[in-house]
Amino acid sequence: MKDVMIIAHPSSGQKQAEDYAQQAKEILEANGRFATINITESSDDVVKFAQEAARETYNTIVILGGDGTVSLLASSLKDEDYRPEIAILPTGTVNNVARALNIEINLDKAVKDLPNLTPQSIDAGLVNDQVFLSLVSTGTIPESVFEVNEEEKERLGPVAYLVEGIQALNEQKSYRFSLNIDNKVDEFELDLLLIGVSSSVVGLTNFFKDASYNDGKLHIFGLKKTTLGDRVGSIANWIFDTEKVQNNGVLTVDAKNIKIELLNQDGSTHVAVDGDKGPSFPVEISVLPNYINVLTPKQK
């Protein structure tokens, strides 16, 4: 059995992935591990290296990347008989997966933490054939996020998404969905639909208050079609009301499976998977309990 494969995706973060990969190798080897480094030239390389690590039974994959890269890695292992544990060095814009697992966002600190992390089994989601570790979303806001270019992400970080999201709330598009939630079917007109596998959404670590990464559930949030003021108020009430009192502007439910059909064509015909464009409608999403082990800080 081989030990550690470090996969660095230089297009992520501040273009420092190779430097941090070397630092990770040095600190791991100073603590008795043996590590090799693979630098990607495209997303296809993430898939190739991840599957190589699985088939050669590496103990650990250290991945340098954002949420999309981390989920791509996890999806690459879906059909493998063996899945190495993974450690995340977050180099993305939001790093929602890392935040939800209390992994250090500061890369210098995250690298130093590597020898002290412990494995935690976490759930994943499956949208059609694609595994995700954070969020599937659709509606006006996710569609607008597709327009955020890499330069804006680098310069503004999560603020770039916030700016686009606020502007998108003023859109007058209509999204009518048929939702089959654990075999109960209903229709809803929504501006925003989120399906997550943890408590965290776009860096808001307590968005789904009672959720955890290993509760075996999908967590669903829908923002109903109302006036702009009501939409903003509904989001604010949901985020800041720690008791999550009755909020008629939102749809919220936990489930194990959800099938989504878009009933009109005025909006996006795709969902977003961890911020990247995902499959087109209709989609089926299910939870994958205890899908993979991720190295996380020891619980205090």
Side-chain angles (χ1 to χ4, degrees), residues 15-276:
K15 310 294 190 292
Q16 298 173 315
E18 293 185 45
D19 292 340
Y20 280 107
Q22 185 59 41
Q23 291 180 38
K25 176 179 170 68
E26 291 171 1
I27 198 166
L28 286 168
E29 293 188 342
N31 284 268
R33 306 292 299 270
F34 179 78
T36 60
I37 297 176
N38 286 317
I39 307 299
T40 69
E41 294 182 0
S42 70
S43 295
D44 290 342
D45 287 338
V46 175
V47 176
K48 179 182 73 174
F49 293 141
Q51 292 176 347
E52 177 185 318
R55 292 164 191 176
E56 296 186 10
T57 60
Y58 275 76
N59 288 308
T60 307
I61 298 173
V62 177
I63 180 70
L64 288 92
D67 292 324
T69 300
V70 173
S71 282
L72 176 61
L73 170 69
S75 193
S76 304
L77 301 173
K78 177 171 66 72
D79 297 322
E80 299 299 325
D81 294 330
Y82 165 80
R83 295 179 192 136
E85 63 188 14
I86 65 173
I88 301 169
L89 295 179
T91 63
T93 305
V94 178
N95 301 307
N96 192 63
V97 177
R99 292 178 190 275
L101 292 168
N102 297 312
I103 294 170
E104 181 60 61
I105 300 302
N106 180 288
L107 275 173
D108 293 305
K109 294 179 180 178
V111 170
K112 291 177 182 177
D113 279 351
L114 279 175
N116 304 313
L117 303 178
T118 57
Q120 174 182 339
S121 178
I122 70 167
D123 300 338
L126 183 69
V127 51
N128 291 1
D129 236 7
Q130 182 178 349
V131 173
F132 65 97
L133 294 183
S134 181
L135 188 72
V136 169
S137 55
T138 185
T140 307
I141 295 175
E143 185 179 0
S144 72
V145 167
F146 294 152
E147 306 302 321
V148 180
N149 60 43
E150 290 298 324
E151 182 179 342
E152 289 173 319
K153 291 180 185 179
E154 294 283 351
R155 183 168 55 89
L156 298 176
V159 175
Y161 292 124
L162 178 63
V163 170
E164 290 292 337
I166 291 173
Q167 293 175 343
L169 277 177
N170 201 32
E171 296 281 341
Q172 297 301 314
K173 293 182 179 179
S174 174
Y175 296 79
R176 189 157 190 85
F177 298 103
S178 171
L179 303 183
N180 181 331
I181 302 174
D182 286 343
N183 296 317
K184 182 179 179 181
V185 182
D186 208 339
E187 293 184 9
F188 297 92
E189 192 166 8
L190 304 172
D191 282 327
L192 174 66
L193 180 61
L194 308 175
I195 301 97
V197 291
S198 76
S199 63
S200 185
V201 171
V202 293
L204 299 171
T205 55
N206 201 34
F207 188 88
F208 292 113
K209 182 175 181 291
D210 298 320
S212 71
Y213 243 130
N214 51 11
D215 58 14
K217 300 176 183 177
L218 298 170
H219 307 283
I220 301 164
F221 173 92
L223 181 64
K224 295 179 181 179
K225 190 76 175 179
T226 56
T227 66
L228 175 60
D230 286 344
R231 278 176 276 170
V232 172
S234 293
I235 291 177
N237 287 341
W238 179 257
I239 293 173
F240 296 112
D241 180 4
T242 57
E243 297 300 321
K244 300 295 187 255
V245 296
Q246 181 67 32
N247 186 342
N248 292 326
V250 304
L251 163 72
T252 178
V253 64
D254 295 337
K256 294 186 180 296
N257 296 278
I258 177 172
K259 299 177 183 178
I260 308 171
E261 183 179 354
L262 182 65
L263 299 180
N264 58 5
Q265 296 299 316
D266 296 331
S268 171
T269 58
H270 294 78
V271 297
V273 182
D274 291 338
D276 295 327

